[in-house]
Amino acid sequence: MEILGIDIGGSGIKAAPVNITTAKLIAERHRIVTPEISTPDAVAKVIQKLIQHFDWNGPVGCTFPAVIKQGIIKTAANIDNSWIGVNGEELIHSKTGCKTLLLNDADAAGIAEMEFGAGKDNKGVVIMHTFGTGIGSAIFVNGQLIPNTEFGRLEIRCKEAEQRASSRNRTEEGLKWKSWAWRVNEFLARMEALFWPDLFIIGGGISRKHDQFLHLLKTKADIVPAQMLNQAGIIGAAIAAGKIHN
Ligand code: BGC
């Protein structure tokens, strides 16, 4: 089965059709820059363009950097506030005619890693974190996702973890790898004290550079880089949509 996966990120909105049995992209990924003011209308226009680009009329799976309940956006930490309360699935469906599943971006990336990547066949407690503009989280028990966890909100030193240890913090504050890893360790230690995972998977754009920092991360659980890199969101969204459209 083929599903169009769309990944809405802070800097780019990317899409590709995915064969969900093999998790392979069946056409080259297409990316359009995220509108500076990323209101529902502006983002929906970009999604229309992506769908036209692939001449697509089948099902769509789409990631979104927020809590999503029954298609409705519930939070807006790093996106325009006007998204709150919008039914994103209905919005995309009404603009494109494509049946759409919307899900949290880290959940989607986690699904891809659990089914085809770094978490494949792991039956324990697995926590995936994406480090980007924010910190995304997805937790799996025996391969089963508990959706919409927001562990980036954990308060550390009077701030949300994602305001101290995201990839954006590293670049904006000019942190050396060691200083950034120190903050990430503090966050992961809190996660371990609460959940005692068997495995951490570290994803997000920064996972491409894991040779710079992974050896600096000290956890009791095993810790590995994500394997699907910048395709995890697209693939995971398509897999998740495939499950409900089947
Ligand atoms: C959002 C999460 C999202 C994460 C990564 C956070 O700011 O609250 O829902 O998964 O960023 O994009």
Side-chain angles (χ1 to χ4, degrees), residues 65-67 75 77-78 104-106 130 134-137 150 153 162:
V67 171
T75 58
N78 286 309
N104 173 266
D105 54 357
T130 59
I135 298 180
S137 58
E150 287 283 312
R153 306 264 95 79
E162 75 168 16

